[in-house]
Amino acid sequence: MTVKRIATAAAVALAMAAVPTAPALAWHHHRGGPFFLPFAIAGAVVGTAAAIATAPLAAVAPPPAPYPAYGYGPPPYGYYGPPPGYYYGPPPR
């Protein structure tokens, strides 16, 4: 009885230790089709060109304003009227 309990506990412990180490191989299931590679290359080229083209602008731009920036945020109180109440119909007579 004791050997069976120890073997069961060891099997459960081994299974629990092995679960997190199993990798998720999702890359085998997505092939992309015949048109995937040209669009992936075009996207990489456009993204790299945009990063290179805007790098000088980012270098001379001022640092961003602390949050929340002036002019953004909720409207002042009273800008909008209060929300309308629910309509339940006239009271009974």
Side-chain angles (χ1 to χ4, degrees), residues 8-93:
T8 303
V12 169
L14 182 64
M16 288 175 59
V19 168
T21 61
L25 298 176
W27 57 274
H28 282 294
H29 302 288
H30 178 68
R31 301 279 184 227
F35 300 112
F36 177 71
L37 187 60
F39 285 110
I41 293 172
V45 168
V46 169
T48 304
I52 292 171
T54 58
L57 299 175
V60 297
Y67 182 81
Y70 179 74
Y72 294 101
Y77 181 74
Y79 184 74
Y80 292 113
Y86 291 107
Y87 181 71
Y88 292 109
R93 293 182 185 194

